Amino acid sequence: MGSTNPSKRHAEKKIETELGSIDLAKKPSRQWKLLDFISVTMMAGIVILFLLIFTSLGDSLAASGQLYLDHEESAAAQLQLAGAKTSSSVTSDFTGSTVSSSFWEQVENGQLVEFCSDRYVDHMPCHDPKRVVKLSRERNFYKERHCPPAAEKLNCLIPSPPQYQRPIPWPESLRKIWYGNIPHTEVVQSKSSRHWVKKEGQYFVFPVDETNFPDGVGTYVQQLAQYIPFDTGAIRTALDIGCGDASFGAYLLSKDVLTMSFAPRDSRKPQVQFALERGIPAFVGVMGTLRLPFPSFSYDLVHCSRCLLYFTANNGSYFMEVDRLLRGGGFFVFSVALELQPFQKTCLEELQELVTQRLCYTQVEVGDSTVIWQKPMNSSCHSQQHEQPAICPKENDADKAWYVPLDYCITRPTAFDDLGEGMNPILPKWPERLEKAPLRLIKMSNHESEQFESDIHTWKSILNYYKKTLHLKLGSPEFRNIMDMNSGYGGFAANLVSEPVWVMNVVPAFGVPNTLHAIFDRGLIGVLHDWCESFSTYPRTYDLIHVSNLMQSTAQRCSLAEVGLEMDRILRPGGMVVVRDTEEMIHRISKIATALHWTFEVANMEPEGVYHLVARKHFRKQKSYLQIVEFQKFKRGATKLVS
């Protein structure tokens, strides 16, 4: 072997020494620590993103942010209002007393109210999706009414959609409505609804023969009519649970049957909003933890089509609510899809046992997809039962229905004991029942029949005055959906049954007697409601709002300005308001009407100091300018205040 070059060996040794001074193993270690850090960070980001998208955490954070924005916007509007007045700290009303300049007090003194942003176009304060994200899903609790506290109420007017126009008049509205009034394209994209509604140009169209019923609603009702006496006057009021396209209630109008349809709020498929735009009676509600806002024995027929409600769940409390609302001799129709889901089969079997064996209903008919039961006329069968459910205790008021929890007991018809033990109300057939004093009004509420008959004549005179002196065209295409905010015995609505309108009769939950049972006994429909809260309906759903002698009792519990803003929310642009009250109340309301951008007239033609304010809500393409007009003492005759 040859000898190694000494200079080369020296160079290699120098390189080894230099390399030895460097820890080559540490460099890869530093690189892996950096990669690990990047990987962990990315994985954490993915996990957080997953939580935000697929859990309620994202909804909660979004709702919190939205509530913050809402608060900021409301506060800004309030500051703008406060700054608009030259002396905003103290104002003086017509009595000479002084009040602080809160938002509601400014509105009551005629200060113009600003408009909300466009994102509030379908705002429902007590059914706001932003408020319910943290609420329990159990028993549909999150779909019930959840109203905002006073500090979170909006201090602005709900705007209309940009393309909104006067609704198509009845009965043409039954077949088509303006797309721009309810611009929800999701509804026609849904597989469950595309067969009953279509978008054609600027319209939503509702085909006559294409509804939620496989063979059409006409064929469906004809099949039911083989067992249910629709054409005899025995069936007048009906309740449609989870109304779908509301075609059932729409078709029954031809049978002279008034159907109250209800469904929960649905932002993608607003069933109730579509029904009201078409001119069909409806409101937002759900079978949950509370009674529906009706008195006992309200309906001659209860209907649930393509029913997904598990009536026997929660100890059968859902069906106990149906039983509370159904009259003796009334019918319950349970209709499902032709191909039953497993849970529907179980529900139907359990419901059959509950209804026939424990509640003594008679099974009238059972088909492939529909079962009809009839409620017994008396409770003699119930008294022989030794198993649950038991008859409700005497202290259980079956007519209380405003935020009252559901019961698991059989409603006690004790008011009719003199007609037979446990007898349900016996009513004349329609239309005779309209003007006959309801038996339970006389027995339960200590009202005299003469008082009821006097009310009939009074309202005939008032409606005559409305038509001839105030020139309200109540039978014209201008009006279809009408609300009476303080209905009493329903005299206002009773005088409109021959007109092409329907009336939502509202009996206030506080401050007045609960006479809603008399309204239903007369063959009319309505709900209980507290006017210090928002009503369970979408914006722009009523053509006319009627108010008689309500404001005094309401003003003791909340600001009349709050009531005014809610009236503006549910009133359609171009719609009218008629207020019948004392001179003092009309004075106060006239200022609120100015603040709401309404135009109005005040008249006094009735005896005993009764005044009328007739107002109109205008289309708001731009913010309107109205002058605040000082109140005057009015003599007999109509006096124009604002034009």
Side-chain angles (χ1 to χ4, degrees):
M1 296 178 62
S3 60
T4 305
N5 190 329
S7 60
K8 182 178 180 181
R9 188 169 58 252
H10 176 74
E12 290 175 351
K13 188 173 183 180
K14 182 178 180 181
I15 292 173
E16 288 175 1
T17 302
E18 291 176 350
L19 290 174
S21 65
I22 303 174
D23 190 352
L24 297 176
K26 290 182 179 181
K27 189 171 183 179
S29 177
R30 287 196 300 271
Q31 290 175 345
W32 277 111
K33 283 185 178 180
L34 179 60
L35 290 175
D36 289 343
F37 176 77
I38 294 174
S39 299
V40 169
T41 303
M42 291 178 64
M43 288 299 297
I46 292 172
V47 170
I48 292 173
L49 182 62
F50 179 86
L51 291 173
L52 289 174
I53 295 175
F54 296 103
T55 73
S56 61
L57 176 61
D59 293 337
S60 301
L61 291 174
S64 300
Q66 185 63 62
L67 287 174
Y68 174 79
L69 291 174
D70 294 346
H71 174 75
E72 291 295 305
E73 179 176 304
S74 180
Q78 189 167 349
L79 287 173
Q80 184 176 359
L81 266 175
K85 300 195 71 171
T86 55
S87 57
S88 60
S89 58
V90 178
T91 58
S92 177
D93 63 16
F94 75 102
T95 62
S97 61
T98 58
V99 293
S100 61
S101 63
S102 68
F103 172 80
W104 301 118
E105 289 164 347
Q106 291 179 27
V107 175
E108 288 206 37
N109 280 278
Q111 184 67 38
L112 294 179
V113 182
E114 297 294 325
F115 292 88
C116 306
S117 67
D118 289 343
R119 70 171 178 266
Y120 293 106
V121 68
D122 285 331
H123 183 61
M124 298 173 62
C126 296
H127 298 272
D128 187 354
K130 299 192 300 292
R131 304 194 60 81
V132 303
V133 292
K134 296 181 180 180
L135 300 179
S136 171
R137 262 60 175 169
E138 186 177 359
R139 297 181 63 187
N140 289 326
F141 176 72
Y142 73 109
K143 292 183 178 181
E144 294 181 317
R145 290 176 57 85
H146 300 283
C147 301
E152 295 179 14
K153 290 184 177 181
L154 290 182
N155 297 341
C156 51
L157 300 176
I158 302 301
S160 301
Q163 303 302 319
Y164 187 89
Q165 53 188 312
R166 186 180 297 277
I168 294 173
W170 178 269
E172 188 181 359
S173 62
L174 198 58
R175 301 303 172 211
K176 65 178 182 180
I177 61 176
W178 296 114
Y179 165 75
N181 289 10
I182 310 178
H184 292 286
T185 56
E186 299 92 341
V187 71
V188 294
Q189 297 170 354
S190 170
K191 291 182 179 180
S192 62
S193 58
R194 64 177 54 170
H195 58 289
W196 60 264
V197 59
K198 306 179 187 302
K199 185 179 182 299
E200 296 182 1
Q202 57 184 339
Y203 300 107
F204 277 126
V205 177
F206 304 87
V208 177
D209 298 325
E210 296 185 32
T211 67
N212 277 333
F213 303 95
D215 299 321
V217 65
T219 300
Y220 176 74
V221 172
Q222 289 174 11
Q223 293 171 349
L224 296 182
Q226 299 178 43
Y227 312 98
I228 301 174
F230 286 117
D231 298 319
T232 66
I235 306 297
R236 168 60 181 173
T237 56
L239 180 68
D240 192 11
I241 301 174
C243 57
D245 61 354
S247 59
F248 181 73
Y251 190 87
L252 287 184
L253 289 172
S254 64
K255 302 286 187 181
D256 221 1
V257 175
L258 267 180
T259 303
M260 181 76 84
S261 301
F262 77 92
R265 171 167 182 164
D266 189 331
S267 299
R268 294 173 298 174
K269 294 185 293 179
Q271 303 171 34
V272 171
Q273 192 175 19
F274 272 85
L276 288 164
E277 185 71 15
R278 297 173 68 190
I280 303 170
F283 81 106
V284 173
V286 67
M287 283 281 201
T289 67
L290 302 173
R291 287 178 176 177
L292 294 170
F294 313 115
S296 61
F297 312 123
S298 297
Y299 292 99
D300 307 311
L301 169 69
V302 177
H303 175 261
C304 192
S305 171
R306 301 178 67 88
C307 211
L308 300 178
L309 186 62
Y310 209 142
F311 280 102
T312 56
N314 305 303
N315 292 324
S317 58
Y318 288 159
F319 191 79
M320 290 297 99
E321 177 65 356
V322 170
D323 183 74
R324 181 182 74 88
L325 299 177
L326 190 60
R327 298 186 188 280
F331 295 87
F332 173 59
V333 179
F334 182 84
S335 177
V336 295
L338 291 176
E339 296 183 6
L340 294 179
Q341 299 297 321
F343 88 92
Q344 288 178 312
K345 293 181 181 179
T346 303
C347 175
L348 188 56
E349 293 171 357
E350 294 176 354
L351 187 60
Q352 180 82 349
E353 178 186 358
L354 173 65
V355 171
T356 58
Q357 298 182 24
R358 295 159 68 182
L359 292 177
C360 306
Y361 282 50
T362 300
Q363 182 173 291
V364 177
E365 171 62 9
V366 57
D368 294 335
S369 59
T370 302
V371 185
I372 304 173
W373 291 283
Q374 186 173 22
K375 183 176 179 177
M377 286 298 299
N378 58 63
S379 59
S380 58
C381 173
H382 304 151
S383 61
Q384 301 171 12
Q385 299 282 352
H386 300 289
E387 58 180 330
Q388 296 294 322
I391 295 179
C392 297
K394 291 184 177 181
E395 59 271 17
N396 186 313
D397 188 344
D399 289 337
K400 286 186 176 181
W402 187 246
Y403 290 117
V404 176
L406 290 180
D407 295 307
Y408 180 59
C409 58
I410 302 171
T411 301
R412 175 187 295 271
T414 55
F416 309 96
D417 287 342
D418 61 338
L419 302 178
E421 180 63 31
M423 187 67 71
N424 279 284
I426 299 177
L427 298 172
K429 292 184 178 180
W430 178 262
E432 289 78 12
R433 63 194 274 188
L434 180 66
E435 296 196 0
K436 185 175 178 60
L439 178 62
R440 59 173 166 173
L441 176 70
I442 308 303
K443 283 187 62 66
M444 297 172 64
S445 306
N446 297 319
H447 289 248
E448 299 292 337
S449 59
E450 293 80 7
Q451 184 179 353
F452 177 82
E453 293 171 1
S454 175
D455 185 78
I456 291 177
H457 295 300
T458 297
W459 277 104
K460 285 182 178 179
S461 176
I462 294 172
L463 264 294
N464 185 61
Y465 166 73
Y466 284 174
K467 293 178 180 179
K468 293 185 176 181
T469 304
L470 298 183
H471 305 293
L472 293 179
K473 301 176 181 179
L474 295 175
S476 72
E478 183 178 358
F479 302 112
R480 171 60 186 172
N481 301 353
I482 297 178
M483 172 180 283
D484 189 4
M485 291 176 59
N486 184 23
S487 297
Y489 299 144
F492 174 76
N495 282 276
L496 293 175
V497 293
S498 61
E499 307 290 358
V501 302
W502 70 273
V503 179
M504 176 69 83
N505 292 282
V506 182
V507 173
F510 303 98
V512 300
N514 183 359
T515 54
L516 189 56
H517 53 77
I519 290 171
F520 275 96
D521 286 353
R522 298 184 71 179
L524 307 172
I525 57 175
V527 295
L528 288 169
H529 182 67
D530 176 9
W531 282 114
C532 289
E533 295 185 4
S534 177
F535 195 75
S536 290
T537 192
Y538 288 83
R540 304 171 301 280
T541 52
Y542 287 94
D543 304 300
L544 173 66
I545 298 178
H546 178 257
V547 195
S548 180
N549 298 316
L550 169 68
M551 299 305 183
Q552 184 66 48
S553 59
T554 304
Q556 298 174 6
R557 303 183 56 251
C558 59
S559 169
L560 293 182
E562 296 180 60
V563 182
L565 261 71
E566 176 61 9
M567 292 169 65
D568 185 86
R569 186 185 73 87
I570 66 179
L571 185 65
R572 287 172 170 171
M576 297 186 69
V577 173
V578 177
V579 183
R580 180 178 180 272
D581 218 307
T582 64
E583 180 181 8
E584 177 183 334
M585 278 295 140
I586 293 298
H587 174 197
R588 295 179 62 179
I589 296 164
S590 68
K591 292 183 178 182
I592 296 173
T594 298
L596 299 177
H597 306 254
W598 297 349
T599 58
F600 59 89
E601 294 180 349
V602 174
N604 172 21
M605 289 294 288
E606 288 189 53
E608 301 177 0
V610 178
Y611 283 74
H612 300 82
L613 180 143
V614 182
R616 185 179 294 276
K617 173 181 174 179
H618 290 278
F619 285 82
R620 292 159 181 166
K621 301 300 183 182
Q622 299 177 356
K623 296 182 180 180
S624 58
Y625 260 154
L626 292 179
Q627 293 182 345
I628 300 175
V629 179
E630 293 295 332
F631 184 80
Q632 305 172 5
K633 295 291 183 180
F634 296 101
K635 298 181 179 180
R636 291 183 179 273
T639 302
K640 194 171 185 181
L641 285 183
V642 180
S643 60

